[in-house]
Amino acid sequence: MTGLKTTGEKKLMLFTGRAYPELAQEVAEELGVEIAPMKAHDFANGEIYTRFEESVRGSDAFVIQCHSAPINHSIMEQLIMVDALKRASAKRISVITPFYGYARQDKKHKGREPISARLMADFFATAGADRLMAVDLHTDQIQGYFDGPVDHLFALPILVDYIKGKYDASKLTVVSPDAGRVRTADRWTDRLNTPLAIVHKRRDPNIPNTVSVHEIVGDVKGRTCVLVDDMVDTAGTICAAAEALFENGAAEVIIAATHAVLSDPATDRLKNSRISEVIFTNTLPIPEEKRFDKMTVLSIAPMLARAIREVFEDGSVTSMFDDHNH
Protein backbone atom coordinates (compact mmCIF):
# COMPACT_ATOMS: atom_id res chain seq x y z
CA MET A 1 0.00 0.00 0.00
CA THR A 2 1.34 3.42 -0.90
CA GLY A 3 0.50 6.38 1.30
CA LEU A 4 -1.74 6.55 4.30
CA LYS A 5 -5.50 6.67 4.60
CA THR A 6 -7.16 8.97 7.12
CA THR A 7 -10.35 8.15 8.95
CA GLY A 8 -11.98 10.91 6.91
CA GLU A 9 -14.08 12.03 9.86
CA LYS A 10 -15.03 15.69 9.65
CA LYS A 11 -14.76 17.61 12.88
CA LEU A 12 -16.95 20.62 13.65
CA MET A 13 -15.44 23.11 16.08
CA LEU A 14 -17.20 26.17 17.44
CA PHE A 15 -15.32 29.23 18.70
CA THR A 16 -16.47 32.47 20.23
CA GLY A 17 -14.88 35.79 21.01
CA ARG A 18 -15.60 37.73 24.18
CA ALA A 19 -18.22 40.11 22.74
CA TYR A 20 -21.27 37.92 23.37
CA PRO A 21 -20.38 34.40 24.55
CA GLU A 22 -23.97 33.79 25.74
CA LEU A 23 -25.28 33.60 22.17
CA ALA A 24 -22.47 31.22 21.16
CA GLN A 25 -23.29 29.06 24.20
CA GLU A 26 -26.92 28.87 23.09
CA VAL A 27 -25.82 27.85 19.57
CA ALA A 28 -23.47 25.23 21.03
CA GLU A 29 -26.32 23.72 23.06
CA GLU A 30 -28.56 23.60 19.96
CA LEU A 31 -25.76 21.80 18.07
CA GLY A 32 -24.85 19.52 20.95
CA VAL A 33 -21.19 20.59 20.94
CA GLU A 34 -18.90 22.30 23.43
CA ILE A 35 -17.33 25.67 22.64
CA ALA A 36 -13.64 25.10 21.97
CA PRO A 37 -11.58 26.45 24.88
CA MET A 38 -9.59 29.59 24.21
CA LYS A 39 -7.46 31.99 26.20
CA ALA A 40 -8.05 35.65 25.39
CA HIS A 41 -6.87 38.81 27.04
CA ASP A 42 -5.94 42.40 26.27
CA PHE A 43 -2.46 43.70 26.89
CA ALA A 44 -1.94 46.94 28.79
CA ASN A 45 -1.83 48.93 25.55
CA GLY A 46 -5.13 47.43 24.31
CA GLU A 47 -3.67 44.82 21.95
CA ILE A 48 -5.61 41.54 21.85
CA TYR A 49 -4.13 38.08 22.42
CA THR A 50 -5.92 34.79 21.72
CA ARG A 51 -4.78 31.19 21.83
CA PHE A 52 -6.79 28.00 21.34
CA GLU A 53 -6.18 25.43 24.02
CA GLU A 54 -6.66 22.33 21.91
CA SER A 55 -5.68 21.27 18.39
CA VAL A 56 -7.81 22.66 15.56
CA ARG A 57 -5.93 20.91 12.75
CA GLY A 58 -8.20 19.67 9.97
CA SER A 59 -11.33 21.01 11.65
CA ASP A 60 -14.33 22.75 10.13
CA ALA A 61 -14.08 25.87 12.30
CA PHE A 62 -16.97 28.25 12.97
CA VAL A 63 -16.06 31.53 14.67
CA ILE A 64 -18.97 33.49 16.17
CA GLN A 65 -18.54 37.09 17.18
CA CYS A 66 -21.14 39.83 17.47
CA HIS A 67 -19.82 43.18 16.36
CA SER A 68 -21.11 44.90 19.47
CA ALA A 69 -19.71 47.88 21.34
CA PRO A 70 -16.80 48.48 21.54
CA ILE A 71 -17.24 47.50 17.91
CA ASN A 72 -13.66 47.79 16.69
CA HIS A 73 -12.42 45.61 19.56
CA SER A 74 -15.00 42.92 18.70
CA ILE A 75 -14.05 42.94 15.02
CA MET A 76 -10.31 42.90 15.68
CA GLU A 77 -10.63 40.01 18.13
CA GLN A 78 -12.52 37.95 15.54
CA LEU A 79 -9.88 38.71 12.89
CA ILE A 80 -7.12 37.63 15.26
CA MET A 81 -8.98 34.39 16.05
CA VAL A 82 -9.32 33.67 12.32
CA ASP A 83 -5.59 34.27 11.83
CA ALA A 84 -4.79 31.90 14.71
CA LEU A 85 -7.05 29.21 13.18
CA LYS A 86 -5.46 29.57 9.76
CA ARG A 87 -1.97 29.26 11.22
CA ALA A 88 -3.06 26.23 13.28
CA SER A 89 -4.21 24.40 10.11
CA ALA A 90 -7.99 24.51 10.46
CA LYS A 91 -9.35 23.00 7.25
CA ARG A 92 -12.14 25.50 6.67
CA ILE A 93 -12.91 28.71 8.55
CA SER A 94 -16.44 30.11 8.59
CA VAL A 95 -16.86 33.55 10.12
CA ILE A 96 -20.25 34.15 11.73
CA THR A 97 -21.18 37.78 12.31
CA PRO A 98 -24.82 37.87 13.44
CA PHE A 99 -24.49 41.66 13.19
CA TYR A 100 -21.95 42.67 10.52
CA GLY A 101 -20.11 45.84 11.55
CA TYR A 102 -19.82 48.80 9.18
CA ALA A 103 -22.64 47.41 7.01
CA ARG A 104 -24.20 50.86 6.67
CA GLN A 105 -21.09 52.14 4.88
CA ASP A 106 -21.90 50.07 1.80
CA LYS A 107 -21.58 52.72 -0.92
CA LYS A 108 -20.27 56.21 -1.47
CA HIS A 109 -23.03 58.71 -0.80
CA LYS A 110 -20.60 61.57 -1.38
CA GLY A 111 -17.10 61.86 -2.85
CA ARG A 112 -14.09 61.01 -0.69
CA GLU A 113 -16.02 58.57 1.51
CA PRO A 114 -14.88 55.01 2.28
CA ILE A 115 -16.81 51.84 1.50
CA SER A 116 -16.07 50.31 4.87
CA ALA A 117 -18.41 47.32 4.45
CA ARG A 118 -16.16 46.18 1.60
CA LEU A 119 -13.02 46.82 3.65
CA MET A 120 -14.46 44.54 6.37
CA ALA A 121 -14.94 41.71 3.87
CA ASP A 122 -11.34 42.18 2.69
CA PHE A 123 -10.10 42.02 6.29
CA PHE A 124 -11.81 38.66 6.84
CA ALA A 125 -10.53 37.27 3.53
CA THR A 126 -6.99 38.37 4.37
CA ALA A 127 -7.20 36.88 7.87
CA GLY A 128 -8.11 33.53 6.30
CA ALA A 129 -11.92 33.24 6.30
CA ASP A 130 -13.30 30.78 3.74
CA ARG A 131 -16.91 31.82 4.17
CA LEU A 132 -19.07 34.41 5.90
CA MET A 133 -22.42 33.97 7.58
CA ALA A 134 -24.49 36.97 8.65
CA VAL A 135 -28.04 37.77 9.67
CA ASP A 136 -29.97 40.50 7.84
CA LEU A 137 -27.17 42.41 6.19
CA HIS A 138 -28.00 46.10 5.78
CA THR A 139 -28.04 45.62 2.00
CA ASP A 140 -27.93 42.47 -0.12
CA GLN A 141 -24.98 43.62 -2.21
CA ILE A 142 -22.60 43.18 0.73
CA GLN A 143 -22.67 39.49 -0.16
CA GLY A 144 -20.69 40.40 -3.27
CA TYR A 145 -17.93 42.13 -1.31
CA PHE A 146 -16.55 38.81 -0.09
CA ASP A 147 -14.96 36.55 -2.68
CA GLY A 148 -16.31 33.28 -1.39
CA PRO A 149 -19.56 31.79 -0.12
CA VAL A 150 -21.74 34.09 1.97
CA ASP A 151 -24.71 32.68 3.85
CA HIS A 152 -27.22 35.47 4.29
CA LEU A 153 -29.70 34.45 6.97
CA PHE A 154 -33.04 36.15 7.56
CA ALA A 155 -34.64 36.77 10.94
CA LEU A 156 -37.93 37.34 9.13
CA PRO A 157 -39.47 33.89 9.81
CA ILE A 158 -38.73 34.20 13.56
CA LEU A 159 -40.22 37.70 13.81
CA VAL A 160 -43.22 36.89 11.59
CA ASP A 161 -44.13 33.74 13.51
CA TYR A 162 -44.12 35.69 16.75
CA ILE A 163 -46.31 38.48 15.34
CA LYS A 164 -48.72 35.99 13.72
CA GLY A 165 -49.17 34.31 17.08
CA LYS A 166 -49.90 37.54 18.93
CA TYR A 167 -51.68 39.94 16.55
CA ASP A 168 -54.74 39.74 14.32
CA ALA A 169 -53.27 39.59 10.79
CA SER A 170 -56.38 41.12 9.22
CA LYS A 171 -55.72 44.38 11.08
CA LEU A 172 -51.99 44.58 10.29
CA THR A 173 -50.25 46.90 7.88
CA VAL A 174 -46.51 46.48 7.31
CA VAL A 175 -44.70 49.82 7.20
CA SER A 176 -41.28 50.67 5.81
CA PRO A 177 -39.73 53.51 7.86
CA ASP A 178 -38.11 54.94 4.73
CA ALA A 179 -37.87 54.33 1.00
CA GLY A 180 -34.66 52.33 1.40
CA ARG A 181 -36.34 49.59 3.43
CA VAL A 182 -39.19 48.88 1.01
CA ARG A 183 -37.58 45.63 -0.17
CA THR A 184 -37.47 44.38 3.42
CA ALA A 185 -41.08 45.42 4.01
CA ASP A 186 -42.10 43.64 0.80
CA ARG A 187 -40.78 40.35 2.15
CA TRP A 188 -42.93 40.90 5.22
CA THR A 189 -46.12 41.58 3.27
CA ASP A 190 -45.52 38.42 1.21
CA ARG A 191 -45.41 36.40 4.39
CA LEU A 192 -48.20 38.07 6.31
CA ASN A 193 -50.49 38.84 3.35
CA THR A 194 -50.96 42.37 4.60
CA PRO A 195 -51.03 45.78 2.92
CA LEU A 196 -47.86 47.88 2.76
CA ALA A 197 -47.30 51.51 3.70
CA ILE A 198 -44.18 53.66 3.38
CA VAL A 199 -43.02 56.56 5.49
CA HIS A 200 -41.34 58.92 3.08
CA LYS A 201 -38.96 61.23 4.87
CA ARG A 202 -37.28 64.28 3.47
CA ARG A 203 -34.09 65.31 5.16
CA ASP A 204 -32.93 68.87 5.64
CA PRO A 205 -29.61 68.73 3.73
CA ASN A 206 -28.06 71.34 6.01
CA ILE A 207 -28.70 69.61 9.35
CA PRO A 208 -27.14 66.18 9.95
CA ASN A 209 -29.15 63.39 11.64
CA THR A 210 -32.46 65.20 11.40
CA VAL A 211 -35.54 64.39 9.42
CA SER A 212 -37.76 67.27 8.45
CA VAL A 213 -40.95 66.03 6.77
CA HIS A 214 -42.85 62.74 6.84
CA GLU A 215 -45.41 61.70 4.26
CA ILE A 216 -47.27 58.40 4.53
CA VAL A 217 -47.82 56.45 1.32
CA GLY A 218 -50.56 53.89 1.90
CA ASP A 219 -53.54 53.52 4.23
CA VAL A 220 -52.77 53.24 7.96
CA LYS A 221 -55.97 54.63 9.48
CA GLY A 222 -57.26 52.38 12.28
CA ARG A 223 -54.62 49.77 11.52
CA THR A 224 -52.02 48.02 13.67
CA CYS A 225 -48.82 49.13 11.97
CA VAL A 226 -45.70 46.96 12.05
CA LEU A 227 -42.68 49.17 11.44
CA VAL A 228 -39.95 46.90 10.10
CA ASP A 229 -36.24 47.63 9.90
CA ASP A 230 -32.94 45.77 9.94
CA MET A 231 -31.62 47.71 12.93
CA VAL A 232 -32.55 50.29 15.52
CA ASP A 233 -29.58 52.45 16.47
CA THR A 234 -30.51 55.75 18.17
CA ALA A 235 -34.23 55.10 17.38
CA GLY A 236 -34.65 58.63 16.00
CA THR A 237 -35.87 57.54 12.58
CA ILE A 238 -38.19 54.85 13.85
CA CYS A 239 -39.78 56.96 16.61
CA ALA A 240 -40.36 59.83 14.17
CA ALA A 241 -41.93 57.35 11.73
CA ALA A 242 -44.17 56.00 14.52
CA GLU A 243 -45.33 59.53 15.39
CA ALA A 244 -46.13 60.17 11.73
CA LEU A 245 -48.22 56.98 11.68
CA PHE A 246 -50.18 58.04 14.78
CA GLU A 247 -50.77 61.47 13.23
CA ASN A 248 -52.21 59.67 10.21
CA GLY A 249 -54.66 57.70 12.33
CA ALA A 250 -52.82 54.44 13.09
CA ALA A 251 -54.51 52.55 15.94
CA GLU A 252 -51.34 50.91 17.21
CA VAL A 253 -47.66 50.79 16.24
CA ILE A 254 -45.28 47.92 16.89
CA ILE A 255 -41.64 47.70 15.82
CA ALA A 256 -39.92 44.59 14.51
CA ALA A 257 -36.18 44.81 13.88
CA THR A 258 -33.36 42.29 13.78
CA HIS A 259 -30.48 44.19 15.36
CA ALA A 260 -30.86 46.06 18.65
CA VAL A 261 -27.90 48.42 18.36
CA LEU A 262 -29.59 50.81 20.84
CA SER A 263 -27.04 53.59 21.12
CA ASP A 264 -28.12 56.33 23.52
CA PRO A 265 -30.79 57.74 23.69
CA ALA A 266 -32.62 54.84 21.98
CA THR A 267 -33.99 53.18 25.13
CA ASP A 268 -35.51 56.40 26.48
CA ARG A 269 -37.01 57.28 23.10
CA LEU A 270 -38.64 53.86 22.71
CA LYS A 271 -39.77 53.63 26.32
CA ASN A 272 -41.42 57.06 26.25
CA SER A 273 -43.00 56.62 22.82
CA ARG A 274 -46.57 55.53 22.09
CA ILE A 275 -45.24 52.37 20.44
CA SER A 276 -46.84 49.38 22.16
CA GLU A 277 -44.21 46.68 21.53
CA VAL A 278 -40.63 46.58 20.27
CA ILE A 279 -39.51 43.18 18.99
CA PHE A 280 -35.83 42.39 18.44
CA THR A 281 -33.70 39.30 18.00
CA ASN A 282 -30.55 38.61 20.03
CA THR A 283 -28.00 39.19 17.24
CA LEU A 284 -26.48 41.72 19.66
CA PRO A 285 -26.29 41.60 23.45
CA ILE A 286 -28.89 43.85 25.08
CA PRO A 287 -27.69 44.81 28.57
CA GLU A 288 -30.22 45.03 31.41
CA GLU A 289 -30.10 48.82 31.54
CA LYS A 290 -31.20 49.00 27.88
CA ARG A 291 -34.18 46.68 28.37
CA PHE A 292 -37.70 47.88 29.14
CA ASP A 293 -41.19 46.43 29.60
CA LYS A 294 -42.35 46.85 25.99
CA MET A 295 -39.32 44.98 24.61
CA THR A 296 -39.46 41.38 23.39
CA VAL A 297 -36.26 39.56 22.40
CA LEU A 298 -36.42 36.42 20.26
CA SER A 299 -33.49 34.04 19.87
CA ILE A 300 -31.70 33.44 16.56
CA ALA A 301 -29.62 30.62 18.09
CA PRO A 302 -31.73 27.78 16.62
CA MET A 303 -31.46 29.35 13.15
CA LEU A 304 -27.68 29.84 13.45
CA ALA A 305 -27.25 26.27 14.67
CA ARG A 306 -29.28 24.93 11.75
CA ALA A 307 -27.27 27.00 9.24
CA ILE A 308 -24.00 25.76 10.76
CA ARG A 309 -25.24 22.18 10.53
CA GLU A 310 -26.25 22.64 6.85
CA VAL A 311 -22.80 24.05 6.03
CA PHE A 312 -20.98 21.33 7.97
CA GLU A 313 -23.00 18.54 6.38
CA ASP A 314 -22.80 20.10 2.90
CA GLY A 315 -26.55 20.64 2.96
CA SER A 316 -28.44 23.72 1.83
CA VAL A 317 -28.75 26.94 3.81
CA THR A 318 -31.10 28.35 1.15
CA SER A 319 -33.59 25.55 1.84
CA MET A 320 -34.09 26.99 5.31
CA PHE A 321 -35.91 29.95 3.74
CA ASP A 322 -37.59 28.29 0.79
CA ASP A 323 -41.14 28.92 1.92
CA HIS A 324 -40.93 32.55 0.83
CA ASN A 325 -39.30 34.28 -2.08
CA HIS A 326 -36.29 36.52 -1.95
Side-chain angles (χ1 to χ4, degrees), residues 7-301:
T7 54
E9 278 290 297
K10 287 206 293 183
K11 182 169 65 156
L12 186 157
M13 292 184 85
L14 188 64
F15 304 88
T16 180
R18 290 172 290 169
Y20 190 13
E22 298 82 359
L23 177 62
Q25 189 51 52
E26 227 186 298
V27 172
E29 282 161 19
E30 289 279 338
L31 283 168
V33 301
E34 300 274 311
I35 292 171
M38 177 183 87
K39 272 199 173 74
H41 61 257
D42 297 352
F43 290 109
N45 70 345
E47 288 176 14
I48 298 162
Y49 170 85
T50 67
R51 180 178 183 266
F52 304 113
E53 298 188 283
E54 57 183 54
S55 172
V56 301
R57 187 182 303 278
S59 69
D60 205 342
F62 293 86
V63 189
I64 299 187
Q65 179 85 310
C66 292
H67 296 171
S68 56
I71 189 162
N72 297 328
H73 186 279
S74 305
I75 291 165
M76 197 67 194
E77 183 173 74
Q78 192 174 26
L79 289 165
I80 288 170
M81 289 170 70
V82 171
D83 185 76
L85 285 166
K86 177 178 69 175
R87 293 176 191 283
S89 307
K91 187 157 128 238
R92 178 169 66 169
I93 303 167
S94 300
V95 163
I96 303 172
T97 59
F99 172 75
Y100 181 101
Y102 290 91
R104 281 175 284 188
Q105 297 179 28
D106 58 356
K107 57 181 174 290
K108 284 172 66 170
H109 302 268
K110 298 192 190 88
R112 302 185 295 281
E113 281 188 346
I115 303 182
S116 313
R118 167 63 203 253
L119 178 64
M120 291 283 306
D122 289 344
F123 278 159
F124 282 110
T126 302
D130 296 298
R131 73 187 300 133
L132 295 186
M133 188 183 285
V135 182
D136 285 334
L137 287 165
H138 188 62
T139 46
D140 291 338
Q141 73 254 25
I142 293 172
Q143 297 169 81
Y145 296 170
F146 181 74
D147 201 6
V150 176
D151 299 306
H152 189 192
L153 309 180
F154 300 90
L156 179 68
I158 300 166
L159 293 163
V160 164
D161 287 351
Y162 172 82
I163 286 170
K164 267 185 178 164
K166 185 162 177 181
Y167 294 91
D168 176 357
S170 69
K171 295 195 172 74
L172 292 178
T173 293
V174 171
V175 185
S176 171
D178 58 46
R181 295 281 112 204
V182 174
R183 184 77 194 87
T184 307
D186 249 349
R187 288 175 181 153
W188 277 79
T189 54
D190 287 350
R191 264 197 103 118
L192 283 167
N193 282 326
T194 52
L196 173 68
I198 299 160
V199 179
H200 181 60
K201 57 181 182 186
R202 299 168 187 265
R203 290 181 182 278
D204 183 332
N206 302 313
I207 311 171
N209 298 330
T210 56
V211 173
S212 34
V213 198
H214 289 83
E215 297 161 5
I216 308 288
V217 183
D219 180 26
V220 300
K221 208 173 171 59
R223 311 283 294 171
T224 297
C225 294
V226 189
L227 263 172
V228 299
D229 212 339
D230 64 319
M231 69 175 85
V232 174
D233 190 350
T234 60
T237 300
I238 210 114
C239 286
E243 270 313 304
L245 291 170
F246 283 121
E247 280 159 27
N248 282 266
E252 190 179 7
V253 176
I254 57 180
I255 289 174
T258 306
H259 309 297
V261 181
L262 300 181
S263 308
D264 286 334
T267 293
D268 289 338
R269 278 178 175 162
L270 293 166
K271 209 167 30 183
N272 302 326
S273 71
R274 291 192 273 168
I275 295 156
S276 45
E277 187 176 14
V278 184
I279 307 152
F280 291 121
T281 71
N282 61 346
T283 53
L284 287 165
I286 307 173
E288 260 332 293
E289 66 272 13
K290 291 196 171 173
R291 292 177 181 251
F292 48 93
D293 291 344
K294 298 191 285 193
M295 184 192 288
T296 301
V297 182
L298 308 173
S299 180
I300 55 150

Side-chain angles (χ1 to χ4, degrees), residues 287-320:
E288 260 332 293
E289 66 272 13
K290 291 196 171 173
R291 292 177 181 251
F292 48 93
D293 291 344
K294 298 191 285 193
M295 184 192 288
T296 301
V297 182
L298 308 173
S299 180
I300 55 150
M303 176 176 75
L304 285 180
R306 194 177 152 198
I308 289 169
R309 190 174 279 117
E310 293 291 350
V311 169
F312 179 63
E313 292 170 359
D314 295 322
S316 164
V317 173
T318 307
S319 70
M320 293 169 54

